[in-house]
Every structure is written in structure tokens, then in C-alpha cells.
Amino acid sequence: MGKKSKTSLKASVTVETSLSLFLFLMFFVCMMQLYMVLNLEIRVQSALEQTADSQAAYAAVRDCHDEDGSLSYIQCGLDYAYAKNNVIRLLGKEYLDASWIKNGSGGLHFERSSFLKDGETIALVVSYKIEVPFFLMPEISVIQRTCRRIWIGDDTSGLKNTKAGTNKVYVTPNGSVYHLYADCSYIDIKIRAVSAESLDTLRNKDGCIYYACESCRPERSEIVYITSYGNRYHAFDGCSAIERNVIQIDKNEIGNRHICSKCKKRAGG
């Protein structure tokens, strides 16, 4: 009788151990599946964000022309086809086709996206379904979205008057000169987004070529930012090398600053 009890006890422990091991393995597999799904969604979102950035930049320059009337922008389709193709390019068609997305790269749908309906906003929306290949789990419907407002340029600190009053001038906190006009090219910087491929042929207003900015160290990516009179191209429009914090002060506050050469010439001095 004692032997049977011991045998039953051992069998019970063995069953419980096997069940615990099975439950642990199931938990581990479920966590791995959750990680795979989340990783897939993160990668899709990243590609969606990059596509929205490039479309917003292209939209900002699509109507720009050179002084001779020739087009200086890159035509970029602000439509579903471009968005889908660019997301596929960024993620890789082979990766998507081998992923858990139903129908692979062909399973991405962008029909819910909108382009400049209000004149300034790009809203990219991608929908797809995920098929988890284990335990007969149901399809997971996913909708991911991102919005971008197209870049429309800088307004010099909200200054409304072009010419300062009799006793007013414009300065920057660390500048050594003062300006008579708010739209002086030294402080009213016109920033525009251009294709990196066009840098070889672009010239600033003084006829100089553009070099890489030492501050933001841009790479030759799809979009870079330049100014009309500067000779550097930048990775982003907020680079500290092109930002200007313009303020209006009284002339008796100019200290050791001297008048800007361009403003002096413009004023007939």
C-alpha cells in the first residue's frame, strides 16, 4: 500500500511538472508572438513617418521656380501610390512578403490617407491585417497613421513692419551690427527645402556653391535645406547656424554695433 502511494505521488509530480513546463512554453511563445507583432508595427510606423516627412518637404517646394522661370523642384506624387511605394522601399519588399502581414507588401492599403485637403496637411493612414501563424489565432486588423503640416517658411520673429521707426533698429542678440530693415537678407533668412541631388547645380544669390554645414553635419539624403545668401546646406531647417532671433530695440541701445552694410546701401548711405 505504501509503494502504491509513493508511485502515485511520483506520477502526480511528473504530470504537474509537465503541465507547468507546457504552460511556461506557451507563455514564452505568446510573448514572442507579441514582440514580433509590436516590432512589425514599429517598423511600419517608422517608414510611415519618414514618408510623411519627405512628402511634406516636397509639397513645400513643388511650386518653386528659378528666376529664369525653370523649375527648381522635384515632382513628387502626393498620392497613395507614392506613399505605398516609398514605405515598401524603406521596409524592403522581401521583408514585407516574408512578414506576418496578410498578402505581404500587397496587403498595405493607403486609401484612407489625405493630401493637402486643407491646403497644408498631409495625413498618411495605412491599414493591413496580421496573420499569426500559430494556435489558429484570428487575424489582427491594424490601422496606423501620422500627420505632417507642410513647411511654409520662416517669419522673422513676427515683425510686421519692413522699416524700423526713426528711433528703432533690428538686431540679433549676438550680432555685431544693427539693421534698418526687418527684411534685410542677413536677418530675414529665406529657407527652402531642395533635393540633395540638385546641390551640384544650385548656386546662392552671390553665385557661390553650397557646402555641408559644420554644425548639423548633413548627409546627402533626399532633402536638405538652404538659404538664398548662405553657402551651406543643412540637415534640417532648425539648424542653429541658420536660426535668427531678431528683436527690435531703440537706437540708443545699439552699443558698439555698427550699421549693416546692406541696410546702409539700401537707405542711400
Side-chain angles (χ1 to χ4, degrees):
M1 193 72 178
K3 290 184 178 180
K4 288 185 178 180
S5 298
K6 290 182 179 180
T7 301
S8 299
L9 180 60
K10 289 181 179 180
S12 176
V13 170
T14 301
V15 171
E16 290 179 359
T17 302
S18 299
L19 181 60
S20 298
L21 180 60
F22 174 77
L23 292 176
F24 173 78
L25 290 176
M26 291 302 98
F27 173 78
F28 178 77
V29 170
C30 289
M31 292 302 296
M32 286 298 299
Q33 289 179 342
L34 178 61
Y35 169 79
M36 294 290 288
V37 171
L38 291 176
N39 182 62
L40 176 60
E41 292 181 1
I42 289 172
R43 295 186 65 168
V44 171
Q45 186 66 32
S46 177
L48 196 67
E49 300 277 352
Q50 293 180 60
T51 299
D53 286 339
S54 65
Q55 286 196 306
Y58 279 125
V61 300
R62 64 195 178 109
D63 293 325
C64 293
H65 293 72
D66 288 333
E67 292 181 356
D68 60 1
S70 61
L71 295 177
S72 62
Y73 66 90
I74 300 174
Q75 292 195 3
C76 172
L78 295 177
D79 56 17
Y80 315 121
Y82 173 83
K84 180 175 181 176
N85 290 336
N86 199 60
V87 168
I88 292 175
R89 179 184 66 81
L90 291 171
L91 291 172
K93 188 175 186 302
E94 292 183 358
Y95 166 77
L96 289 171
D97 290 342
S99 70
W100 291 353
I101 295 179
K102 186 176 182 179
N103 298 323
S105 58
L108 300 177
H109 303 285
F110 288 80
E111 291 79 5
R112 302 184 186 185
S113 302
S114 62
F115 304 90
L116 307 181
K117 282 190 175 181
D118 59 355
E120 61 181 30
T121 304
I122 294 174
L124 291 187
V125 182
V126 60
S127 60
Y128 55 93
K129 293 184 178 181
I130 294 178
E131 293 182 316
V132 180
F134 304 106
F135 304 125
L136 300 177
M137 289 183 65
E139 294 179 346
I140 303 173
S141 295
V142 180
I143 298 177
Q144 294 176 250
R145 67 185 72 234
T146 186
C147 292
R148 291 293 185 278
R149 180 175 181 270
I150 66 171
W151 184 78
I152 57 176
D154 282 354
D155 180 12
T156 308
S157 301
L159 300 176
K160 297 181 179 179
N161 298 321
T162 300
K163 191 176 188 305
T166 306
N167 298 314
K168 298 290 185 179
V169 293
Y170 301 110
V171 300
T172 57
N174 299 317
S176 60
V177 301
Y178 65 88
H179 306 265
L180 301 177
Y181 303 91
D183 60 351
C184 174
S185 60
Y186 285 136
I187 56 174
D188 185 21
I189 296 178
K190 305 298 183 184
I191 308 172
R192 60 186 178 124
V194 300
S195 164
E197 296 177 355
S198 66
L199 288 173
D200 293 332
T201 58
L202 286 176
R203 299 291 184 271
N204 67 11
K205 293 290 187 180
D206 295 323
C208 299
I209 64 176
Y210 290 94
Y211 301 92
C213 171
E214 294 84 357
S215 297
C216 60
R217 301 181 181 278
E219 297 181 357
R220 283 261 183 160
S221 55
E222 290 184 2
I223 297 296
V224 293
Y225 298 86
I226 61 174
T227 60
S228 298
Y229 287 91
N231 62 355
R232 295 291 187 269
Y233 63 88
H234 307 268
F236 50 93
D237 61 292
C239 173
S240 59
I242 53 177
E243 285 185 333
R244 293 291 186 272
N245 182 17
V246 182
I247 57 177
Q248 191 180 72
I249 64 172
D250 292 327
K251 276 190 175 181
N252 58 12
E253 299 177 23
I254 61 176
N256 295 326
R257 295 183 178 92
H258 58 276
I259 188 171
C260 161
S261 58
K262 288 194 174 184
C263 291
K264 182 178 180 180
K265 183 178 179 180
R266 181 174 172 181

